[in-house]
Amino acid sequence: MTLSASATTSPISLYLDYQQFPKTQNPKPLSFTIKPPKPQNRIFSTQTHQSSDFLNNPSTSNQNPNSQLLQFCLHAKLDQAMNLLNSIEGLTNIEEESLIALISLCEWKRAKDDGLKVYDSMVMSNFSVRLGNALLSMFVRFCDLGNAWYVFGRMRERNVFSWNVLVGGYAKAGFLDDALCLYHRMLWAGKKPDIYTFPCVLRACGGLRDLRRGREVHAHVLRFGFESDIDVLNALITMYMKSGDILTARLVFDKMRKRDRISWNAMISGYCENKEGLEALMIFLMMRELLVVPDLMTMTSVLSACQLLGDERLAREIHGYITVTGIGSEITACNSLVQFYMSIGFREDAEKVFSRMYYKDLVSWTTMISGYEENLLPEKALETYKKMEVGGTSPDDITLASALSACAQLGLLDFGMKLHEVANKTGLISYIIVSNTLIDMYSKCRCIDKALEVFHSMREKNVISWSSIILGLRINNRSFDALFYFRQMKTTLQPNSVTLISVLSACSRVGALMCGKEIHARALRTGVGLLGFLPNSILDMYVRCGRMGLAINQFNLHRKDNSAWNILLRGYAGRGQGEMAVELFDNMIESKVTPDEITFISLLCACSRSGMVKKGLEYFESMKEKFSISPNLKHYACMVDLLGRAGKLQDAYEFIQKMPIDPDPAIWGALLNSCRIYRNVELGEIAARQIFEKDTERVGYYILLCNLYADSGKWDEVARVRNTMKQKGLTIDPGCSWVEVKGKLYAFLSGDKFHPQFDKISSLLEEFYEKMKAGVVKSSCLDEIEASKVEIFCGHSERHAIAFGLINTAPGMPIRVTKNLYMCESCHNIVKFISQNVRREISVRDSELFHHFKDGVCSCGDDGYLGKFGT
């Protein structure tokens, strides 16, 4: 393994052949590549001979140049010192003390270019300890690990300071594993660590969360006799806390003979990091009892503990203490207060603290922006972001991610794209949190191609990246692609519960039952099957795939929360099984589970599709009287649908007029659908006018109106509506059906003639058509009116999916098809005929109902296809 630092010098292996030497084995000696001397600007050397050119130079012979150089360095006059060097080019009598002073000044001034000039001008092949240490310190300060490592290799001798500087440099740069490797090589080189070695090495162990190596270093602390040094013990506490071993950290703390404020802060902040808020507060109280004065770090950690516990009263007392002691003027304390108040939803208190801050840094702005976003106030988040930009503060990755999340909530694609440009210009796009949030923003703004572009441009992808793109594909109706990306993800990463929930949603959308079962098995095998919403997602998948038996088993095996009952209720509603839904609702009440708004939406929907008008009206009244649930727009839409489907069109219209809230387009849409079913053009036109006053972009309402006119024979009106749709640029999604065969999912688009088995599929369908014509079954596909409608609004894609299933499965096997549009009467009659002819059970789930065909009969009772039923 080699050091992962970029350098202009040749790479030098830290590890060589060393991995973990036994105590009896000697390590191989260090080997270093010698950097060839640079020919330019050879200004000085540490040789003792004098230069005749210098002695004869009148401009510098009056005073020793070493004295001048030391004086310039003593008075921090770097420019004059460098000018002196440039004026005496060729000088070879500069003393080492002068070089060390100049190098230290370059380090102190952060003058990297000048420091490199001094270094490049040196011609000696090896460095002394003092000069090497000065160069090491300078290069580590400049984060130039390549040159630091090269200087380290050219040193004739190294002391503990040399090793400490290099170990610290690698640890500070984030190369924690390399820092620990250097520490072990230091031990093999026979150098005894000191009190400055162990804090740095222990921080590296803590940063890696490597408890094994941390305990090994703890043993070294005891071996070398530093178990009483307070700085080392504080570093041990921090290491154990970061590694999650809070018991050992507490043991080290309790055994300390002397503690300083850092000791207490390490314990308090460590408990907070490990989500032990109560323990953190207990340590704080112990600290105050012993009269140890807290500082800014203490109070920010205590506020974090209050945040963990949600203790608003205690946090206000801490706020008062911070204000009285003057710590409140510190920006870090104010930022912690803002974060605390935002985390518990006290937005106004957070705003007061923020507005009183004399100076606001990036953390202040980011805390407010992320706080607004997390509290579902995206408008305020973006408003604050714009103020930050006006104030001249540049965002970091967290700021940008919070602003992008706010854009996603609001669907603000334009502003989100501007933030994308900012990310590209500032280089923040390289941060994985920014790229992940961009994927989420573009997905929720219905711009999935841009989301895919960001995803594929990422050099590294984590579980969140894959989960985001899978969910994005699902919500953009590309569930087939979502399953493909899930298979790709499994080759490199282990999906978590959030990923599985997104994939299960995709399986539900396209009816991928076998894939859903595999995910169910995977969840049980990996131990996440009971986490969060995953059990309910599995239940929802079985319900949407039409396997109510498996759904009930899943329902009975796990904790039945409100969501589980609602999912099962929706399943019965989708099948028009009102009586089963009513029975389930009664069981829910007997189980002491309180119904919510979603419960009654499913219940009213089930009553509507089963013609249970009286029961539906009773439930609507009981919402307010018995369960204290105020009906919302969706409940009113269900009631209009309930009355309308039962033929009570006038009652439905009067119900809308008497509503205490303003009806939305969905409510008028329910009335329009009922008018379509019963061909009431006059009332349907009233409903359509109300719809288009508020919503002129949703294509479904235009389709309903077209169907109403077509059913009534008003073809001129059909042409007018379709022309309006063209003018507005409204398009109808092409029909697409999915069928699962032998564990694989196949998709069929309307009009697609490029399927490998297209000829076989067409031939089989033609056979069925001929048999229907020869028999007594009426095929409405020959009907002029129906043919005109279904070509636009159905697409017949389910026919091809069913034929494919018949060709590629064994006789008697059931066929399950999922479709994105409604099923037309023509397809409905054909599938009924096929189920009777081949003696197969065929299930078709369209965009509204489940159709279960068996022996020529459909479970919907011939009322659930386009032309009679649907919205």
Side-chain angles (χ1 to χ4, degrees):
M1 179 179 176
T2 59
L3 284 178
S4 47
S6 58
T8 58
T9 59
S10 302
I12 304 171
S13 175
L14 273 181
Y15 290 88
L16 302 176
D17 297 327
Y18 163 74
Q19 292 297 329
Q20 191 74 25
F21 294 121
K23 292 183 178 180
T24 58
Q25 181 180 347
N26 293 323
K28 295 184 178 181
L30 290 169
S31 61
F32 300 96
T33 303
I34 299 302
K35 174 181 173 185
K38 298 190 177 181
Q40 74 277 12
N41 298 332
R42 294 189 180 180
I43 298 177
F44 39 78
S45 170
T46 56
Q47 296 178 3
T48 58
H49 70 272
Q50 295 182 346
S51 170
S52 59
D53 292 336
F54 171 72
L55 294 173
N56 298 325
N57 189 338
S59 63
T60 58
S61 61
N62 295 332
Q63 186 179 356
N64 188 331
N66 287 300
S67 299
Q68 282 188 299
L69 197 56
L70 284 171
Q71 286 297 317
F72 285 141
C73 293
L74 183 62
H75 293 89
K77 296 181 179 180
L78 180 60
D79 292 339
Q80 289 90 328
M82 294 303 297
N83 289 335
L84 174 61
L85 293 178
N86 292 332
S87 68
I88 54 176
E89 184 172 356
L91 183 64
T92 58
N93 196 27
I94 299 299
E95 296 176 354
E96 184 178 277
E97 197 69 33
S98 303
L99 288 178
I100 294 173
L102 182 57
I103 291 167
S104 299
L105 179 59
C106 291
E107 177 187 348
W108 183 66
K109 289 274 193 177
R110 305 293 196 274
K112 183 176 182 179
D113 292 339
D114 289 333
L116 286 171
K117 287 178 183 178
V118 175
Y119 171 63
D120 288 340
S121 302
M122 293 181 182
V123 295
M124 67 282 293
S125 59
N126 293 300
F127 300 116
S128 68
V129 174
R130 294 185 65 241
L131 181 58
N133 286 345
L135 286 167
L136 274 176
S137 180
M138 179 184 72
F139 284 128
V140 165
R141 179 65 60 90
F142 295 156
C143 297
D144 187 350
L145 297 182
N147 275 322
W149 178 243
Y150 184 71
V151 168
F152 188 77
R154 286 176 61 182
M155 293 175 66
R156 291 191 296 267
E157 187 180 347
R158 307 173 193 91
N159 59 15
V160 176
F161 180 83
S162 314
W163 289 96
N164 286 349
V165 170
L166 200 59
V167 170
Y170 276 95
K172 184 179 179 182
F175 302 116
L176 304 179
D177 205 51
D178 293 334
L180 291 177
C181 175
L182 269 171
Y183 166 71
H184 285 291
R185 293 204 63 84
M186 171 185 172
L187 296 179
W188 281 116
K191 297 299 179 185
K192 180 182 176 181
D194 61 11
I195 59 173
Y196 302 105
T197 310
F198 286 115
C200 178
V201 174
L202 288 167
R203 279 195 297 271
C205 294
L208 290 170
R209 305 291 196 269
D210 192 332
L211 186 59
R212 181 187 63 81
R213 284 198 278 187
R215 285 173 173 165
E216 181 183 344
V217 176
H218 190 174
H220 295 170
V221 169
L222 299 175
R223 181 192 307 169
F224 291 109
F226 293 104
E227 65 273 14
S228 299
D229 185 86
I230 193 167
D231 292 328
V232 175
L233 292 175
N234 289 342
L236 273 170
I237 292 172
T238 302
M239 181 276 294
Y240 280 119
M241 281 295 190
K242 287 188 176 295
S243 301
D245 189 353
I246 58 177
L247 294 178
T248 306
R250 182 60 183 267
L251 188 62
V252 173
F253 178 80
D254 289 341
K255 288 186 176 181
M256 291 178 70
R257 296 178 181 177
K258 182 181 179 182
R259 306 182 186 104
D260 60 7
R261 191 184 291 114
I262 296 174
S263 312
W264 295 95
N265 290 347
M267 287 299 297
I268 296 171
S269 63
Y271 275 128
C272 290
E273 287 182 19
N274 287 277
K275 311 299 182 185
E276 296 286 346
L278 184 58
E279 290 294 332
L281 291 177
M282 294 297 291
I283 290 288
F284 174 68
L285 293 176
M286 187 190 306
M287 176 185 182
R288 296 299 296 128
E289 287 176 1
L290 296 175
L291 304 179
V292 180
V293 180
D295 61 2
L296 176 62
M297 178 65 73
T298 316
M299 303 317 299
T300 54
S301 297
V302 171
L303 283 171
S304 297
C306 295
Q307 182 177 339
L308 288 170
L309 297 173
D311 194 329
E312 176 262 334
R313 182 187 61 79
L314 180 58
R316 289 191 183 278
E317 291 182 5
I318 298 296
H319 186 178
Y321 177 84
I322 289 173
T323 304
V324 170
T325 57
I327 299 176
S329 60
E330 295 282 350
I331 191 169
T332 306
C334 292
N335 291 341
S336 297
L337 281 168
V338 170
Q339 182 178 5
F340 170 76
Y341 284 130
M342 278 293 192
S343 69
I344 63 172
F346 283 49
R347 177 175 59 87
E348 293 181 356
D349 293 285
E351 289 172 342
K352 286 179 182 177
V353 176
F354 182 75
S355 63
R356 291 170 183 170
M357 292 172 67
Y358 178 75
Y359 171 74
K360 302 177 180 70
D361 62 3
L362 177 59
V363 177
S364 313
W365 290 103
T366 302
T367 304
M368 285 300 292
I369 293 167
S370 61
Y372 282 132
E373 187 269 326
E374 291 168 2
N375 282 278
L376 303 180
L377 294 167
E379 298 93 346
K380 297 282 289 182
L382 294 181
E383 179 185 331
T384 307
Y385 178 85
K386 292 173 183 176
K387 289 180 180 178
M388 183 193 76
E389 279 192 324
V390 172
T393 304
S394 298
D396 65 359
D397 54 324
I398 306 299
T399 320
L400 212 54
S402 299
L404 284 166
S405 295
C407 290
Q409 290 183 37
L410 296 171
L412 293 179
L413 179 60
D414 291 340
F415 195 75
M417 294 181 75
K418 289 180 181 178
L419 294 176
H420 191 176
E421 292 176 5
V422 172
N424 286 328
K425 290 178 181 178
T426 58
L428 293 174
I429 191 70
S430 61
Y431 287 85
I432 198 166
I433 187 175
V434 175
S435 296
N436 289 345
T437 317
L438 275 169
I439 292 170
D440 181 65
M441 185 274 295
Y442 280 125
S443 298
K444 291 178 179 177
C445 291
R446 304 293 175 177
C447 197
I448 189 62
D449 290 334
K450 289 289 289 183
L452 286 167
E453 182 183 316
V454 173
F455 178 79
H456 289 299
S457 68
M458 295 173 68
R459 293 182 180 179
E460 293 184 7
K461 305 175 182 72
N462 59 13
V463 175
I464 298 174
S465 313
W466 287 95
S467 301
S468 298
I469 197 64
I470 290 169
L471 178 61
L473 289 164
R474 163 62 191 94
I475 63 179
N476 282 273
N477 297 320
R478 291 176 61 172
S479 298
F480 201 81
D481 292 334
L483 297 179
F484 173 77
Y485 275 80
F486 175 67
R487 293 190 186 96
Q488 278 192 321
M489 176 190 180
K490 288 191 296 181
T491 61
T492 56
L493 285 172
Q494 179 77 13
N496 60 15
S497 60
V498 177
T499 316
L500 297 182
I501 289 171
S502 300
V503 181
L504 283 168
S505 178
C507 293
S508 303
R509 179 69 181 84
V510 296
L513 177 63
M514 291 305 297
C515 182
K517 283 184 174 181
E518 289 176 9
I519 294 170
H520 186 181
R522 184 187 188 93
L524 295 175
R525 187 171 61 252
T526 56
V528 299
L530 301 177
L531 296 180
F533 194 72
L534 191 55
N536 287 341
S537 295
I538 295 169
L539 172 63
D540 182 67
M541 181 272 297
Y542 284 129
V543 166
R544 290 181 183 274
C545 288
R547 300 302 299 271
M548 290 301 292
L550 294 173
I552 292 171
N553 288 340
Q554 172 71 9
F555 178 78
N556 291 329
L557 285 173
H558 298 283
R559 182 176 61 87
K560 303 176 184 65
D561 59 6
N562 196 284
S563 296
W565 290 94
N566 291 344
I567 290 169
L568 209 56
L569 272 172
R570 188 177 65 244
Y572 287 129
R575 287 158 183 74
Q577 297 175 329
E579 292 182 359
M580 295 291 291
V582 168
E583 182 181 346
L584 183 67
F585 178 75
D586 292 339
N587 291 337
M588 179 180 181
I589 300 302
E590 290 176 5
S591 301
K592 308 299 182 183
V593 179
T594 305
D596 58 13
E597 296 176 350
I598 298 174
T599 309
F600 282 99
I601 291 173
S602 299
L603 191 60
L604 293 173
C605 186
C607 293
S608 173
R609 292 172 180 175
S610 304
M612 301 168 64
V613 179
K614 183 178 179 180
K615 201 72 174 175
L617 290 170
E618 290 176 2
Y619 284 130
F620 184 75
E621 292 299 324
S622 69
M623 280 179 61
K624 297 174 286 186
E625 297 175 359
K626 189 174 181 180
F627 299 101
S628 302
I629 298 174
S630 299
N632 59 30
L633 289 168
K634 290 184 178 180
H635 297 111
Y636 284 108
C638 289
M639 290 304 298
V640 172
D641 189 61
L642 174 76
L643 295 169
R645 287 178 188 268
K648 302 177 180 293
L649 300 181
Q650 193 60 36
D651 291 344
Y653 181 53
E654 292 175 359
F655 180 86
I656 294 174
Q657 291 179 315
K658 294 177 181 178
M659 281 175 54
I661 54 178
D662 188 34
D664 65 352
I667 291 174
W668 289 107
L671 180 61
L672 176 60
N673 178 59
S674 300
C675 292
R676 176 185 59 79
I677 295 172
Y678 293 99
R679 301 185 181 183
N680 189 326
V681 177
E682 182 180 354
L683 188 56
E685 287 178 337
I686 293 174
R689 281 195 296 270
Q690 295 291 334
I691 291 170
F692 297 136
E693 283 181 4
K694 299 178 180 179
D695 188 346
T696 59
E697 302 299 324
R698 192 163 301 181
V699 69
Y701 297 128
Y702 291 95
I703 293 174
L704 282 176
L705 188 58
C706 279
N707 289 340
L708 172 62
Y709 286 136
D711 286 339
S712 305
K714 294 181 175 293
W715 295 105
D716 291 340
E717 295 298 323
V718 172
R720 181 182 62 80
V721 175
R722 293 192 61 189
N723 185 54
T724 301
M725 292 172 65
K726 288 180 181 179
Q727 291 176 356
K728 292 182 175 295
L730 301 177
T731 57
I732 301 169
D733 291 336
C736 184
S737 294
W738 298 270
V739 62
E740 197 172 34
V741 175
K742 298 177 182 177
K744 291 185 178 180
L745 195 66
Y746 299 87
F748 294 86
L749 284 171
S750 299
D752 182 11
K753 299 181 180 180
F754 298 101
H755 193 277
Q757 297 187 27
F758 177 77
D759 292 337
K760 290 183 179 180
I761 292 171
S762 299
S763 176
L764 181 59
L765 288 175
E766 284 298 328
E767 289 182 19
F768 289 127
Y769 297 157
E770 292 298 325
K771 288 180 181 180
M772 290 182 72
K773 290 179 182 178
V776 296
V777 179
K778 177 186 176 183
S779 176
S780 60
C781 59
L782 304 177
D783 184 90
E784 178 184 356
I785 295 177
E786 185 64 25
S788 175
K789 287 193 303 176
V790 299
E791 291 296 336
I792 304 170
F793 305 130
C794 173
H796 311 321
S797 59
E798 65 268 48
R799 303 183 190 183
H800 293 78
I802 291 169
F804 178 81
L806 292 172
I807 293 169
N808 293 280
T809 57
M813 290 293 293
I815 296 172
R816 297 182 178 87
V817 174
T818 303
K819 187 180 179 184
N820 66 329
L821 301 178
Y822 303 109
M823 196 175 193
C824 68
E825 184 178 2
S826 171
C827 290
H828 197 266
N829 287 334
I830 288 172
V831 179
K832 281 201 305 181
F833 177 81
I834 292 173
S835 69
Q836 183 179 30
N837 191 263
V838 301
R839 295 185 180 181
R840 295 243 206 152
E841 291 186 21
I842 301 174
S843 297
V844 179
R845 191 193 84 197
D846 65 13
S847 58
E848 171 149 342
L849 285 176
F850 271 92
H851 302 268
H852 184 73
F853 298 91
K854 184 178 181 182
D855 298 327
V857 179
C858 179
S859 59
C860 74
D862 293 349
D863 282 332
Y865 50 77
L866 184 64
K868 284 196 175 183
F869 228 49
T871 54

